[in-house]
Each structure stands twice: as C-alpha cells, then as structure tokens.
Amino acid sequence: MNTVTRSLAAPRLSVRAVLRPYIAELQAELRRAWRTPAFAVPSLLFPVLFYLLFGVLLGRGHAPLYLLATYCVFGAMAPALFGFGVQLALDREGGLLTLKRALPMPAAAPLLARLAMAVLFALLVAGLLVTVACTLGGVHLQAQQILQLLAVAALAALPLGAIGLLIGSHASASAAPAMVNLVYLPLALLSGLWLPLSALPKLFSTMAPLWPTWHLAQLALPVVGQPAVGSIAGHLLVLLGVTVAALLLARRRLRRVG
C-alpha cells in the first residue's frame, strides 16, 4: 500500500518541482511591480483617464463604444512594451540576465513570468475600462462581449511583448525608454487607437495594416458592434507572424550579446 501511495504521489511532486521556478519568477515580478508604483499606477490609470475624458466626457455618438474597444488594446501596450523592453535592457546591463542564465532554472521562466504580468496588467486595464464605460459612459455590454474584450486585451500582450523583447535585446538601459516611447505613442496614433483613422489623412489608413496594434483593434471593434476591416483569421496570422519574427530576432541578438 505504501508503495502504491508513493508511486501516486511522485508525479505530483515532480509537477510541483517543475512549476516551482516559474511560480518563483512570477512572485518576483509581482513584488517588482508592487515596489515600482511609478510604473504600475500610470500603466493602469493612464488609459482609463484618457477614456474618461475622450470617451465619456467629450465623446459623442459611437465614441464611447469605439474608444472602449481600441483603448483595451492601448491599455495593453505600456505593460508589454515597457515591461519587456526597458526591464530587459536593465537586466542585461545590470548582469541580472547573465546571473539567471547561470542559475539551475528553465531559461523561459523569467520571460513567461514577465508575459504573465503583462497579461495581468492588460486584463486589469480592460476591466477598469469596461467598468467606466458601463457605469459612466452609457455603454451596455453582455457578458460574452466583456469576455471577448478581455481576450483581445490578453492576446495583445503577446505581439507587443515580443516587440518589447526585441527592443530590450538591442537597446541599452539608458536608451530603452526613449526607444519604447518612439514605438508606443506613434503606434497608438497610427493604428487608430485614439481616434478613427477616417478622421486622419488617407495615408494613415493605407499604412495601418503594417501595424500589429491595428490588427488587434480590428479584433476588438466588432465585439462592441463597430465596423472593422479584414477577417479574424487574417489578423491572427499577421499577429502570429509579428510575434514569431520578433522573438526569433530577439533570441538571435541575446545569444550574441547576452
């Protein structure tokens, strides 16, 4: 009987042992976010305050619905781009990345923990946006629509995190914030996240399919009944391509420079 019990308990112990480094890294990321409110608080509140101003107070017609969808994507940008891009650059220059490589832990554990944090922040921002839209913006959503918006926000962390990883693998710690800002704010404007592309010169609409955030917006807009361009499968394929390409380039760089 004891032999059977030990044999049944062994797989559970091995699974716990496998998950331990991933859980430890996630806990470290949570502590880091808690200890850096200067990053965490603006990342959570900046999109919500902008939505409150432009979507609720100044919004007319379909603006509360349109901006709710696009700001769910916008809210995922800062945690993913800055969390991967700037933090990776700091870890590289501070020697923390080299130290973690020398530790007996899976190489993917720090990246997966950081991705989990980016997804968590994206979900929190999207949840706050939905709450403000439904309570103050006169928006009415079904439970399925809310879940779909949350899914798009979580999905946004993947390609944006990969782009942030690519920036962090190339930029120095001092240059990384500026490099991320050069991507962050222009990408939001060029993708139609702040206002419809129809309100901008036609060149913006022509170039929009080049940006991954535009494809994410096209996934979010139909959820709230707003018109979108292209098919879901097409947008997902583009986002997958951007994610894979950025990850491969970042991996190649990190193998060379550490």
Side-chain angles (χ1 to χ4, degrees):
M1 188 67 177
N2 290 337
T3 304
V4 174
T5 303
R6 283 196 298 271
S7 64
L8 290 175
R12 283 198 288 269
L13 290 174
S14 64
V15 170
R16 193 179 302 126
V18 168
L19 293 179
R20 189 177 295 121
Y22 296 94
I23 295 173
E25 280 297 317
L26 180 57
Q27 290 173 339
E29 288 297 323
L30 288 170
R31 285 194 295 269
R32 195 205 303 257
W34 178 258
R35 292 170 181 171
T36 54
F39 167 74
V41 174
S43 296
L44 291 173
L45 296 185
F46 184 58
V48 178
L49 293 176
F50 261 52
Y51 177 77
L52 186 61
L53 176 61
F54 296 109
V56 176
L57 298 179
L58 301 178
R60 298 291 183 270
H62 296 295
L65 281 171
Y66 179 93
L67 291 179
L68 172 61
T70 58
Y71 270 51
C72 282
V73 176
F74 178 58
M77 292 182 68
L81 290 172
F82 285 93
F84 276 90
V86 176
Q87 196 58 54
L88 178 62
L90 290 171
D91 290 350
R92 280 178 48 236
E93 287 204 1
L96 183 59
L97 186 62
T98 303
L99 174 62
K100 288 188 175 182
R101 284 177 171 176
L103 294 175
M105 62 183 297
L111 296 182
L112 290 177
R114 201 158 292 168
L115 176 61
M117 281 298 299
V119 171
L120 176 61
F121 268 74
L123 291 175
L124 288 174
V125 173
L128 290 171
L129 287 168
V130 169
T131 302
V132 171
C134 292
T135 56
L136 301 176
V139 173
H140 302 284
L141 297 175
Q142 298 178 354
Q144 182 180 0
Q145 291 175 294
I146 295 175
L147 291 176
Q148 288 174 333
L149 282 177
L150 293 177
V152 173
L155 173 66
L158 297 177
L160 294 171
I163 293 171
L165 190 69
L166 180 60
I167 295 172
S169 66
H170 284 77
S172 65
S174 58
M179 293 291 293
V180 171
N181 273 311
L182 284 176
V183 173
Y184 175 45
L185 299 178
L187 204 57
L189 175 63
L190 295 172
S191 301
L193 302 187
W194 289 346
L195 70 166
L197 291 173
S198 58
L200 299 173
K202 189 175 180 180
L203 178 63
F204 286 74
S205 299
T206 304
M207 297 178 61
L210 296 174
W211 322 124
T213 39
W214 178 82
H215 293 277
L216 288 164
Q218 302 314 301
L219 295 176
L221 286 169
V223 174
V224 296
Q226 294 298 293
V229 178
S231 65
I232 293 177
H235 296 309
L236 291 176
L237 282 174
V238 171
L239 293 170
L240 177 62
V242 169
T243 303
V244 171
L247 287 176
L248 290 177
L249 291 172
R251 181 186 179 190
R252 180 182 178 185
R253 173 69 174 177
L254 289 173
R255 279 184 168 181
R256 286 177 10 198
V257 300

